[in-house]
Amino acid sequence: LNLRSLGEFGLIERIAGQVADLPGVVRGIGDDAAALTPSPGQLQLVTSDMLLEGVHFDLSYTPPELLGRKSLAANLSDIAAMGGRPRWFLLSLGLPADMSLEFMDAFVGGMLGLAGEHGVQLVGGDTCASRGGLVISVTLLGEQTAGSVVCRSGARPGDLICVTGTLGDAALGLLELRAGRRDGPAVGRHLDPAPRCREGLLLAEAGLPTAMIDVSDGLMGDLGHILESSRVGARIDTGRLPCSHYFLEAAAGLTAEPADLVLSGGEDYELLFTVPPGKMEHLPSALSGTGTQVTVVGEVTEVRGLQLLAPDGSVSMPRHHGFRHF
Amino acid sequence: LNLRSLGEFGLIERIAGQVADLPGVVRGIGDDAAALTPSPGQLQLVTSDMLLEGVHFDLSYTPPELLGRKSLAANLSDIAAMGGRPRWFLLSLGLPADMSLEFMDAFVGGMLGLAGEHGVQLVGGDTCASRGGLVISVTLLGEQTAGSVVCRSGARPGDLICVTGTLGDAALGLLELRAGRRDGPAVGRHLDPAPRCREGLLLAEAGLPTAMIDVSDGLMGDLGHILESSRVGARIDTGRLPCSHYFLEAAAGLTAEPADLVLSGGEDYELLFTVPPGKMEHLPSALSGTGTQVTVVGEVTEVRGLQLLAPDGSVSMPRHHGFRHF
């Protein structure tokens, strides 16, 4: 059995058969559109990410199951960064002629596995043939009350800049993968990122962040979006940027500059957010159930632009901000 | 100025600057997710379509403005087929390195023009580089009350099978384009299809269709989806299938079999729906404001399968149903 003999509708049925029913889905896979019951009094959040073979992922070292997980994880991270609760998603696939059914099963299995972990349901999408490599587009819907949604635009001078977890691991993992390594914590961070869904929701519902974004393009680039939307600047204390023990040990042997990976390395999928100083005392209790570390890495300034304060006291103003998409 | 010098975020800003604000958008382009206000008491409808260069469209004869319109039209047609009111959409683009800014401006202009005609707003998406041709993914959200949403699954034996407009024109247009023709009504139907948004909404809100789908893959294939979902069969009177005057004149000179274009030609984006005989009398008044012709082409049967009744009285049961996606 292969994809061609299964056909588009056979493939859709095969996927639909693995989807567990969750509340709110009046009509899922198998109609012209999905029909969903929004929770009363909530805003609908919706985000979309496209992943292209040869641009966003390399099938020579990416297991299909993890690719499936990561394709959904990037969207879960976006809803987390809004402080939302993810609910339903659509998957559109462009499939090369030589794509095997085994690959598809593993890809979909990985994606639906992560969906189950986060209580979200696949409700539709599209499948077609591709002549240019595997094409993946995921659209995720979530919900949150208007009062708890966190945008990029609310940072105010004096707010403290916080980040969950550690930075640079995913970029280190990508370097390791390209050098032939296939395991280890950094490779794991790159191939199977864990979106901070619970943290984003808890922070938002505690009313703590004034602005929030997920670190997908690198700290400097993503902080830049907050600064631009909020019309403020920031000073980052580079000596306080959180790195994993593994990263610090591996950094010694790197050809790349470790600081570049921490400042500009993408795909860590940590949350970067700003909190007024008066609310900082509530941060530990808000996240106490998660075990997730939060580090204060700087402060929002009235003066526009981004200043990097080095441990030796010198200040630089970087021009290059994060990953360039084209 | 080209796309590379503009950059991803410059392109996003350029697009965002052309978007007109409509009600219900708390946060549109420019955050991790869009935040939307659903209408109270309505179901949320959501559909997604992917279009790939070299598979779904050929840039050698497709003007970018019309490609932009058609990419949204396919999704509008899906919401129409659910009886929904379209509201908001996301656009994800994979862009080849040599894509010109002129192309992008025309593409986006066409898409936003059609969006304006239907009162829908672009609220987000994704852009990235592509190494395999232009990639387009559109996700459209719509709304309708639970009582008025029309699924594929409600057709009952005895229901009459109806179709709006005429069939086969888009498939004829594709043949003409491939033969070098660049204008005419059939070419227009292929390049710039008009989704039946108003008709779908009026039919649904009049409570007439028991099942509905849009004809995107061809009459037989799409009727097949209704029959399968509804667990019924159908008899189609092929002599009654509606064709345009242009189609009938051009049919004489075709190398393809005209009946094949009418039965299996895709992308007409007409609505195919089933109506109980007792409600047929309300059909003309429901659509009176639209000027759209509706033709009864057959009847739903308890016996499963699709029977084609020819004008000479002979009956055939076709095996091939519509467009194969891979």
Side-chain angles (χ1 to χ4, degrees):
Chain A
L1 196 66
N2 60 37
L3 269 185
R4 193 171 289 271
S5 67
L6 194 62
E8 181 188 18
F9 303 110
L11 174 63
I12 293 172
E13 269 181 38
R14 192 179 177 95
I15 295 173
Q18 299 168 60
V19 171
D21 280 328
L22 293 174
V25 181
V26 173
R27 189 79 192 172
I29 296 170
D31 221 303
D32 292 281
L36 310 165
T37 310
S39 304
Q42 307 246 327
L43 296 183
Q44 194 82 48
L45 306 174
V46 55
T47 184
S48 212
D49 265 302
M50 181 175 277
L51 290 91
L52 304 179
E53 183 178 346
V55 177
H56 298 91
F57 57 90
D58 184 331
L59 290 183
S60 71
Y61 57 66
T62 308
E65 188 188 341
L66 298 187
L67 181 61
R69 289 178 64 90
K70 187 168 178 173
S71 303
L72 179 58
N75 288 277
L76 286 167
S77 184
D78 280 323
I79 294 295
M82 299 294 287
R85 192 182 305 275
R87 301 231 26 203
W88 307 292
F89 70 105
L90 293 91
L91 167 64
S92 292
L93 289 171
L95 302 171
D98 62 352
M99 180 64 62
S100 75
L101 193 55
E102 290 68 35
F103 183 99
M104 273 307 303
D105 282 343
F107 175 86
V108 171
M111 180 172 277
L112 294 181
L114 185 65
E117 292 168 26
H118 290 274
V120 301
Q121 181 175 341
L122 177 62
V123 296
D126 193 14
T127 58
C128 56
S130 166
R131 291 183 189 166
L134 178 61
V135 177
I136 304 164
S137 176
V138 175
T139 300
L140 177 65
L141 284 85
E143 296 183 320
Q144 185 52 279
T145 58
S148 291
V149 163
V150 185
C151 295
R152 297 175 177 177
S153 54
R156 295 292 166 262
D159 286 355
L160 296 173
I161 300 169
C162 306
V163 66
T164 58
T166 58
L167 297 171
D169 300 288
L172 171 62
L174 180 58
L175 290 179
E176 291 182 344
L177 281 161
R178 286 178 175 163
R181 180 149 188 189
R182 292 292 173 264
D183 57 9
V187 164
R189 280 290 297 270
H190 179 79
L191 291 178
D192 190 18
R196 297 294 194 180
C197 293
R198 211 169 146 213
E199 293 81 355
L201 192 59
L202 288 168
L203 288 166
E205 295 190 341
L208 300 182
T210 49
M212 187 152 60
I213 194 171
D214 68 321
V215 183
S216 54
D217 292 345
L219 176 78
M220 285 203 298
D222 291 315
L223 178 58
H225 292 309
I226 286 184
L227 302 185
E228 206 167 308
S229 288
S230 301
R231 299 165 190 273
V232 292
R235 189 172 48 245
I236 292 289
D237 189 345
T238 59
R240 296 169 78 174
L241 292 171
C243 299
S244 66
H245 295 299
Y246 180 84
F247 182 91
L248 292 173
E249 277 172 29
L254 285 178
T255 51
E257 189 63 47
D260 285 346
L261 298 186
V262 176
L263 286 167
S264 304
E267 301 200 292
D268 283 318
Y269 295 108
E270 297 292 356
L271 292 176
L272 177 71
F273 55 100
T274 56
V275 178
K279 289 189 174 176
M280 283 300 291
E281 58 178 314
H282 304 297
L283 203 51
S285 61
L287 294 182
S288 63
T290 65
T292 301
Q293 160 197 335
V294 171
T295 308
V296 176
V297 298
E299 192 180 323
V300 178
T301 61
E302 197 159 350
V303 179
R304 302 289 288 267
L306 177 59
Q307 303 172 58
L308 297 181
L309 176 66
D312 66 6
S314 65
V315 173
S316 61
M317 297 196 61
R319 290 189 56 194
H320 175 64
H321 287 190
F323 181 72
R324 284 182 69 88
H325 292 252
F326 47 80
Chain B
L1 197 65
N2 59 37
L3 268 185
R4 193 172 290 272
S5 67
L6 194 62
E8 180 187 19
F9 303 111
L11 174 62
I12 293 172
E13 268 180 40
R14 192 178 178 94
I15 296 173
Q18 298 167 59
V19 172
D21 280 328
L22 293 173
V25 180
V26 174
R27 189 80 191 169
I29 295 170
D31 220 303
D32 292 281
L36 310 165
T37 310
S39 304
Q42 307 246 328
L43 296 183
Q44 193 82 47
L45 305 174
V46 54
T47 184
S48 212
D49 265 300
M50 180 176 277
L51 290 90
L52 304 179
E53 183 179 346
V55 178
H56 298 90
F57 57 90
D58 184 331
L59 291 182
S60 71
Y61 56 66
T62 308
E65 188 188 342
L66 298 188
L67 182 61
R69 289 178 64 91
K70 187 168 178 174
S71 304
L72 180 58
N75 288 277
L76 287 167
S77 183
D78 280 324
I79 294 296
M82 300 294 288
R85 191 182 307 273
R87 298 225 38 196
W88 307 293
F89 70 104
L90 293 91
L91 168 64
S92 292
L93 289 171
L95 302 171
D98 62 354
M99 179 65 63
S100 75
L101 193 55
E102 290 67 34
F103 183 99
M104 273 307 303
D105 282 343
F107 174 86
V108 170
M111 180 172 278
L112 294 181
L114 185 66
E117 293 168 26
H118 291 275
V120 301
Q121 184 175 340
L122 177 62
V123 296
D126 193 14
T127 57
C128 56
S130 166
R131 292 183 190 167
L134 178 60
V135 177
I136 305 164
S137 176
V138 175
T139 299
L140 177 65
L141 285 84
E143 296 183 321
Q144 185 49 280
T145 58
S148 291
V149 164
V150 185
C151 296
R152 298 176 177 176
S153 53
R156 295 292 167 261
D159 286 355
L160 296 173
I161 300 169
C162 307
V163 65
T164 58
T166 58
L167 297 172
D169 300 288
L172 171 62
L174 180 58
L175 290 179
E176 291 182 344
L177 281 161
R178 287 179 175 161
R181 180 150 188 188
R182 292 290 174 267
D183 57 8
V187 164
R189 279 290 298 268
H190 179 80
L191 291 178
D192 191 18
R196 298 292 193 181
C197 294
R198 210 167 148 215
E199 292 82 355
L201 192 59
L202 289 169
L203 289 167
E205 295 190 341
L208 301 182
T210 49
M212 188 151 61
I213 194 170
D214 67 321
V215 183
S216 53
D217 292 346
L219 176 77
M220 285 204 298
D222 291 314
L223 178 58
H225 293 309
I226 286 185
L227 302 186
E228 207 168 305
S229 288
S230 300
R231 300 167 190 273
V232 291
R235 188 174 47 247
I236 293 289
D237 189 346
T238 60
R240 298 170 76 174
L241 292 170
C243 299
S244 66
H245 295 298
Y246 181 84
F247 182 90
L248 292 174
E249 277 172 29
L254 284 179
T255 51
E257 189 62 48
D260 284 348
L261 299 186
V262 177
L263 287 167
S264 304
E267 303 199 292
D268 282 318
Y269 295 109
E270 296 292 355
L271 292 176
L272 176 70
F273 56 100
T274 56
V275 178
K279 290 189 173 175
M280 284 300 292
E281 58 178 312
H282 304 296
L283 204 50
S285 62
L287 295 183
S288 63
T290 65
T292 301
Q293 158 197 340
V294 171
T295 309
V296 176
V297 298
E299 190 181 325
V300 178
T301 60
E302 195 158 350
V303 180
R304 302 288 288 268
L306 176 58
Q307 303 171 57
L308 297 181
L309 176 66
D312 65 6
S314 65
V315 173
S316 61
M317 297 196 61
R319 290 189 57 194
H320 175 63
H321 288 190
F323 181 70
R324 285 181 68 89
H325 291 254
F326 48 78

